[in-house]
Amino acid sequence: MVRVVAAGHVNWDVTLRVDSLPEPDGEAQLVSQRRSGGGSAANVACALAGFDVDTGLVGSVGDDENGLLARRELEGADVDLRGLRVVADAETSVKYLVVDADGEVMVLGNDGANEAVVPGDVDADYVEAADHLHLTSQRPETAAHLATVASEADATVSFDPGRRLDERDFSDAIALADVLFVNDREALEVLDEQASYAESALSDRVVVVKHGADGATVHTPDCSYDHPGFDVETVDTTGAGDAFAAGFLAVLLDHPDDHERALEFANACGALAAQSEGARTAPTREATESFLDGQF
């Protein structure tokens, strides 16, 4: 049995560091390149496992070499893969992450097999046995089904729908989420462009709004907290949001009402992740706590 199930994309990432992002018809100098596992669900699962939280994964990869490499990396991180579907004769999704000198990221990719999981593929027993379900971008109908299964089993649900929120109807899954992660742009979508969280239809649950380098805000039915983030030298922001979400959840799992502490810990995780190259750079719990101790 796992304590948390993360569900969504499992990718193979190729990170290309360049001196600058070129203008149209321009050229940039390639500084370095590396290959590793990626995908928001897989990133969060690995980060939580690194915090010593028993974590499983629901997602899909192809039966190609990239899928094999992705599975080996996840197994090495102690992520339970009983919920991972390997699709025959399919390509694993590959994302090309172009990172400039300031750590900003441009993503190129193909969907591949990373949305092959449909509601009928979900092992309900696997999800029901967990204490918490964390959803990331995936088929809206699959996200809604997973959220329904978890909610009916009295598990808590979090959702980080990501950059495709404005293209897809995730309303059914959002309606069942106890915790919702969004950035400033996405917040306008889910809050229906209302002036405040209190005026929105989501005022009865926790909404975490990420402000990038400017920290984050957590809204709860009782109060809101702001945290300015941490001033660090950014190398690569890939996966920093996933490290943030994992850090927030790691605190809430043991301290369900300590949203202020969860926000601080999450910001520290995101800051530390952004100091290293690649999507799988979430720090350990010990490293995060040591970083926080050094801030005061």
Side-chain angles (χ1 to χ4, degrees), residues 146-158:
L146 283 161
T148 299
V149 171
S151 296
E152 291 179 350
D154 293 325
T156 51
V157 178
S158 57

Side-chain angles (χ1 to χ4, degrees), residues 248-270:
F248 192 91
L249 295 175
V251 173
L252 281 196
L253 285 169
D254 294 325
H255 307 282
D257 298 320
D258 199 348
H259 298 98
E260 188 172 18
R261 171 62 178 173
L263 188 67
E264 178 186 62
F265 192 85
N267 268 326
C269 290

